[in-house]
Amino acid sequence: MAEPVIELTEVCREFPAQPPVRALDRVTLRVGRGDYLAITGPSGSGKSTLLNVLGLLDRPSTGSYRLDGVETTTLRDGARTRLRADRIGFVFQAFHLLSHRSVVENVMLAEVYRRRPGTIRQRRARAMAALERVGVAHRADFAPGLLSGGERQRAAIARALMGEPSLLLCDEPTGNLDSRNTEAVLGLFDELRGQGLTIVVITHEQEVGARAGRRVRITDGVPAEEA
Ligand SMILES: Nc1ncnc2c1ncn2[C@@H]1O[C@H](COP(=O)(O)OP(=O)(O)OP(=O)(O)O)[C@@H](O)[C@H]1O
Ligand SMILES: [Mg+2]
């Protein structure tokens, strides 16, 4: 396998409850650079919990998570936040674009959390390049509400790409899209993967899973590789 981006070893995530909920149960998972992995599973099986752990938004209760070779479970909050900003882009079902900002401003805002040097003009140029990359530069000065669902999701992907992440984590990225826009987003994922990005997608949709190179199905917090 290619050099690993994600290495989870015996990861458990337990939530305190009566009795405790074991949302991830001794998960061992490796994802190589340039892999395109789809994660499926029934409601409550642990998909979002896994994505939160992978995205450094949550910590495992036990076990090890190495991201790009860095053991993350022992990092302090500040270092985890920097690692997340440097390595990970997020794409969500609901886009999460600010309605009172233009598309390009939304993309520029991705850098608020990064200490990246440069003037506003340089930031805008980087945002425009990201919008070019996803094919919606012609909508840069529109309000997000004027865009189609597919265009909005592509703008959200441009925002995720601003930090030049090595890993793109997507939670139901096509859940709000019709089949034509789903196809446009999946085509974009194919392209990004061709450029070396590692992509992990949570999905309920057969057609999304079918496009990924690898499929893992989680049941009761335990992932299993599918053919
Ligand atoms: N903060 C929490 N406290 C207690 N239990 C939790 C918490 N978060 C999640 N759980 C439980 O952990 C299990 C896994 O939840 P998770 O959200 O990962 O499921 P999911 O696979 O994403 O489901 P869905 O497809 O419905 O989004 C569920 O049984 C859920 O009730
Ligand atoms: Mg979920």
Side-chain angles (χ1 to χ4, degrees):
M1 192 197 257
E3 162 198 3
V5 174
I6 291 170
E7 292 176 276
L8 290 179
T9 311
E10 296 273 313
V11 162
C12 295
R13 178 62 170 109
E14 265 190 1
F15 294 110
Q18 230 25 280
V21 178
R22 184 168 274 207
L24 297 176
D25 192 4
R26 285 181 297 149
V27 174
T28 293
L29 179 71
R30 298 218 171 347
V31 181
R33 193 164 308 286
D35 269 8
Y36 182 177
L37 170 68
I39 297 176
T40 60
S43 182
S45 58
K47 300 181 299 296
S48 295
T49 305
L50 178 59
L51 205 82
N52 289 342
V53 166
L54 293 177
L56 301 175
L57 301 168
D58 188 20
R59 287 177 191 268
S61 309
T62 58
S64 154
Y65 172 24
R66 293 169 77 86
L67 172 63
D68 280 337
V70 178
E71 175 59 58
T72 65
T73 54
T74 49
L75 290 177
R76 289 166 186 272
D77 286 347
R80 280 163 59 86
T81 302
R82 278 194 298 281
L83 190 64
R84 185 194 310 129
D86 284 345
R87 308 292 166 90
I88 304 175
F90 292 93
V91 177
F92 301 101
Q93 177 170 1
F95 320 133
H96 298 304
L97 296 165
L98 299 177
S99 58
H100 56 286
R101 301 290 189 115
S102 70
V103 165
V104 68
E105 284 169 344
N106 267 278
V107 175
M108 289 168 72
L109 280 169
E111 292 198 338
V112 166
Y113 303 104
R114 298 168 50 75
R115 293 206 206 96
R116 196 147 173 202
T119 60
I120 298 258
R121 184 188 290 263
Q122 288 167 327
R123 255 209 284 160
R124 192 182 164 90
R126 285 198 288 269
M128 285 306 299
L131 287 169
E132 295 277 0
R133 200 170 162 193
V134 303
V136 286
H138 60 303
R139 296 288 182 256
D141 294 314
F142 282 46
L146 299 176
L147 269 55
S148 74
E151 288 172 335
R152 268 184 252 179
Q153 190 60 301
R154 280 187 281 161
I157 294 169
R159 181 183 55 192
L161 295 175
M162 275 291 269
E164 288 158 35
S166 51
L167 174 62
L168 199 60
L169 295 178
C170 314
D171 199 349
E172 296 285 358
T174 60
N176 281 340
L177 303 180
D178 61 23
S179 58
R180 194 173 56 85
N181 280 313
T182 292
E183 181 50 42
V185 166
L186 293 181
L188 179 58
F189 285 166
D190 289 344
E191 248 173 65
L192 293 172
R193 192 213 180 176
Q195 296 164 13
L197 204 64
T198 308
I199 305 179
V200 176
V201 181
I202 288 183
T203 185
H204 280 103
E205 289 163 81
Q206 190 76 43
E207 57 186 312
V208 180
R211 288 287 272 272
R214 223 180 124 191
R215 275 164 297 280
V216 163
R217 185 172 172 80
I218 305 193
T219 318
D220 293 333
V222 181
E225 208 84 27
E226 293 196 312

